[in-house]
Amino acid sequence: MNFYSSLYPQLEALGLHLWSQQLQQSLPGKLGVDGRREMADWLATLQALPELHPSIVELNDRVEIGCAADLCPGGREELIAALKVFHPWRKGPYRLFGVDIDTEWRSDWKWERLAPHIQPLSGRKVLDVGCGNGYHGWRMRGAGADLVIGIDPTPISVLQFQVMQRYLNDPQHHVLPLGIEEIPPDLGCFDSVFSMGVLYHRRSPLDHLLELKGCLRPGGELILETLIVEGDQQTIFMPEGRYAKMRNVWFLPSIGAMCLWLQRCGFKNIACVDTNRTSREEQRSTEWMTFESLADFLHPHDPDKTIEGHPAPLRAIFTATKS
C-alpha cells in the first residue's frame, strides 16, 4: 500500500525536494511486514475494511465519520471486529459509522483546553510531533489547517490513522512512521509545530526544543504540552527510576524552568496557557484499550502521588514563537 503518494508533490511544492526524496526512499520499508509480526494482520485487516461512503463528516467539534445508517445489516459487528484488531486505541475518541471508539485518552479535552490560546490554524501548515494516531491532526484540519503532517514511530498508531483515511481520503493530512530525529534539521517551513506528551521522554529536552524550533518558519508558533512539577525557576525533577510505571521519563520542569528553557533556545512570546492535573476520567482503561492506565499508575492510598511516590501527573501547555 502506498500511503504517501499525495505527500511527495506537496513537499516538492514547498521547496522541500531533499526531504521528499529521502522519504520516498525510507518510508516504503517502515511499514513492511518484516518489521513486526502483527503488521501482516494489520495491513490485511485494513485492506479488508468494508467499502463505505460516509454521509456525514465532522472534524471541528469532534471526529465523527459517517453514521450507523451507512452500514449494511450486520455491518456494525463486522466493523467493530475489524477495528479491535488495531487494539490498543489510545488517542481519541472517534465515532466511525455509529461505532464509538472509546479510547484510553479523552484527547478532545486536551484540545478544548489549548484551542482558545493558539494562533488560528486556518490556512496554516502544521507539524504534529508524537501525534499518535492523528486524532489532534483531524481537529487541526477541522480548524482549517491547510496541511497537517504528523510523525509518530509507533506502527499501530500509523495504521489506526490509515483506518480513518480509508473513509476520509484526505490528501492534506498525513501521519509518517518517523521520530523527530529523522526530520531534516532546519526545515524552517511550518507555521505551527505541536509537541504534546513528548518532551519528558527525551533525554535531552533542550535539543528537542531546538529540533522543534528548526521546523518552524520565522514567527511560527510552537505549542508544547508536557508533564511539569511545582516549584521555582530552578526546579527540575528527574526520577531515579520509573515514573508512573514508565521507564522513559527523564526531566519534569517547573513552569518557570520550562519558560527559561524556551527562552534560552531562542523563543519569544512565551506563555503557559493551561495547567491540568490528569484525572482518572481523562485517562483510563476501556474496552478499546484494556491494558493498565492511570488508575494503576497512581498510589493506591494517595492519588496525589504516583505508585512510586512521586508527584502525580500535572500537565501544562506552553505557547511560544520563533524569533
Side-chain angles (χ1 to χ4, degrees):
M1 298 182 184
N2 188 355
F3 298 137
Y4 303 109
S5 57
S6 64
L7 171 64
Y8 305 132
Q10 294 177 77
L11 296 180
E12 298 279 347
L14 292 173
L16 302 174
H17 309 288
L18 291 178
W19 194 26
S20 176
Q21 292 173 9
Q22 179 189 45
L23 291 176
Q24 289 180 62
Q25 293 177 356
S26 64
L27 287 180
K30 291 283 188 179
L31 297 175
V33 294
D34 296 333
R36 292 181 63 109
R37 61 182 176 82
E38 306 98 330
M39 185 62 70
D41 289 339
W42 293 337
L43 291 173
T45 303
L46 179 65
Q47 194 164 16
L49 284 171
E51 294 287 343
L52 299 170
H53 302 283
S55 56
I56 61 166
V57 172
E58 171 59 52
L59 301 177
N60 189 22
D61 293 328
R62 60 195 179 278
V63 179
E64 182 173 3
I65 304 165
C67 65
D70 299 329
L71 292 169
C72 62
R76 177 181 174 85
E77 291 72 23
E78 178 186 353
L79 180 60
I80 290 174
L83 293 174
K84 288 197 171 179
V85 170
F86 300 96
H87 177 275
W89 289 84
R90 295 193 182 275
K91 302 294 178 67
Y94 294 94
R95 171 168 282 192
L96 185 63
F97 297 106
V99 174
D100 288 314
I101 303 177
D102 187 16
T103 50
E104 176 189 18
W105 279 92
R106 289 299 306 260
S107 306
D108 52 335
W109 294 2
K110 183 182 296 186
W111 184 255
E112 290 164 4
R113 291 194 295 267
L114 71 84
H117 304 289
I118 65 175
Q119 295 177 16
L121 292 177
S122 181
R124 292 172 83 92
K125 297 172 180 63
V126 181
L127 177 68
D128 188 4
V129 177
C131 66
N133 61 30
Y135 173 83
H136 286 123
W138 294 120
R139 301 299 299 269
M140 294 169 199
R141 287 287 288 142
D146 182 60
L147 173 67
V148 178
I149 296 178
I151 61 171
D152 196 290
T154 312
I156 187 64
S157 295
V158 180
L159 270 295
Q160 289 173 359
F161 169 79
Q162 290 300 332
V163 169
M164 302 305 156
Q165 273 289 43
R166 170 91 169 184
Y167 301 110
L168 290 174
N169 194 27
D170 183 354
Q172 304 302 114
H173 187 193
H174 306 272
V175 170
L176 314 183
L178 304 174
I180 184 67
E181 63 279 357
E182 298 175 86
I183 300 295
D186 301 318
L187 284 177
C189 66
F190 290 100
D191 303 300
S192 301
V193 170
F194 288 76
S195 172
M196 298 191 288
V198 176
L199 185 75
Y200 48 87
H201 292 313
R202 309 302 293 181
R203 295 183 186 183
S204 179
L206 297 186
D207 285 340
H208 182 62
L209 295 178
L210 292 171
E211 289 169 334
L212 299 171
K213 181 185 172 187
C215 295
L216 282 164
R217 64 162 173 80
E221 183 176 46
L222 171 67
I223 302 95
L224 184 140
E225 189 259 10
T226 188
L227 290 170
I228 60 166
V229 290
E230 297 176 341
D232 62 19
Q233 193 178 61
Q234 302 305 314
T235 302
I236 300 167
F237 173 63
M238 182 181 190
E240 292 182 13
R242 297 191 184 204
Y243 176 86
K245 294 193 177 182
M246 293 183 285
R247 294 188 182 94
N248 59 342
V249 172
W250 297 97
F251 297 96
L252 279 61
S254 65
I255 291 175
M258 186 72 245
C259 290
L260 179 58
W261 287 356
L262 288 163
Q263 178 188 332
R264 289 293 302 271
C265 288
F267 288 94
K268 61 181 182 179
N269 303 321
I270 300 161
C272 177
V273 299
D274 181 81
T275 60
N276 178 68
R277 192 166 295 281
T278 307
S279 70
R280 300 184 190 201
E281 291 73 35
E282 185 169 357
Q283 183 190 10
R284 70 274 192 268
S285 301
T286 75
E287 65 173 307
W288 295 90
M289 203 301 294
T290 60
F291 302 146
E292 289 186 328
S293 192
L294 181 62
D296 305 289
F297 306 152
L298 297 178
H299 195 284
H301 306 302
D302 187 352
D304 292 330
K305 293 188 179 350
T306 70
I307 198 164
E308 301 88 1
H310 304 314
L314 175 65
R315 294 178 175 270
I317 300 170
F318 298 83
T319 59
T321 53
K322 180 177 177 177
S323 300

